[in-house]
Amino acid sequence: MSARIVVLGGGGHGRVVIDALLAAGNSVAGVVDPDPAVAARLPRGIPYLGGDDALATADRAAVVLAIGVGAVDVPRRRRSIFERYREMGFRFVTVIHPAAVRAADALLDEGVQVLAGAVLQPGCRLGANALVNTRALVEHDAVVEDHACISPGALLAGGVHIGTAAFVGIGAAVLQDVRIGAEAMVAAGAVVIADVPPGARVAGVPARPM
């Protein structure tokens, strides 16, 4: 890639994204973060570029971005960062760790992140800024809408539909053809056997409203 890659956020998820980019053979120009203390924890050779205003005068054609902010609960912060920088004219790179498995016909929109050990099966589709975290599974014909986050070890069965900015917690399982509504939250370890309405929060085995 000829454009310089800048990561937005230098915390834990940011370092995971940097690792995925480097493992895939990309170079990382640096990290933007409002907290300068993150500079001490960045991987060797990755510079801290400054706070939120560091890209104010950057050439939009010469820089592409990757979100280095993870999601705890409903991922509103990731969504707001993506939308703000898109409105400023920036583009987002798709991040796929080389240890992930992606079916040839899996469709990925702008800014998707697929991390180490994740599996994308045939016919699945990931919307813009969707996150499929470490060792998560997206089975055949499943849809993960824009800004949704699938946490480490979560399992989406065939035909599942995850709504915009929804969150599926660590180790949760969503059974065949179940729909999770926009901005809904599935707690860690839950087993979802029925549709979840938009904005709802569910937990347990089987999952019930919290």
Side-chain angles (χ1 to χ4, degrees):
M1 172 173 292
S2 58
R4 300 166 61 237
I5 300 175
V6 173
V7 177
L8 304 176
H13 185 73
R15 298 197 305 275
V16 171
V17 169
I18 290 169
D19 179 74
L21 287 165
L22 296 177
N26 299 290
S27 61
V28 176
V31 169
V32 169
D33 194 295
D35 181 9
V38 303
R41 300 189 295 272
L42 295 177
R44 184 187 299 271
I46 304 299
Y48 172 68
L49 302 178
D52 290 339
D53 60 348
L55 296 175
T57 61
D59 182 352
R60 276 43 172 178
V63 173
V64 292
L65 305 179
I67 292 185
V69 176
V72 178
D73 207 327
V74 176
R76 293 189 180 94
R77 189 177 176 206
R78 283 179 55 88
R79 179 178 186 170
S80 66
I81 292 170
F82 182 90
E83 291 177 344
R84 176 157 59 93
Y85 278 90
R86 283 291 285 142
E87 288 174 0
M88 293 167 61
F90 288 100
R91 298 166 296 132
F92 284 81
V93 64
T94 296
V95 180
I96 304 177
H97 195 288
V101 177
R102 174 189 177 184
D105 66 346
L107 299 179
L108 278 61
D109 209 334
E110 179 181 6
V112 165
Q113 296 178 353
V114 183
L115 299 180
V119 178
L120 306 180
Q121 294 286 29
C124 71
R125 180 172 64 81
L126 307 184
N129 193 37
L131 168 60
V132 180
N133 219 318
T134 310
R135 290 188 175 275
L137 168 65
V138 180
E139 260 296 350
H140 64 87
D141 305 307
V143 175
V144 179
E145 295 284 3
D146 296 354
H147 315 295
C149 293
I150 312 303
S151 296
L155 307 174
L156 307 183
V160 162
H161 191 113
I162 307 296
T164 299
F167 177 87
V168 179
I170 291 175
V174 183
L175 272 59
Q176 187 95 5
D177 296 326
V178 166
R179 298 180 68 89
I180 308 296
E183 297 192 1
M185 192 278 283
V186 176
V191 177
V192 186
I193 63 174
D195 292 355
V196 176
R201 301 164 69 90
V202 299
V205 182
R208 296 183 174 87
M210 297 174 64

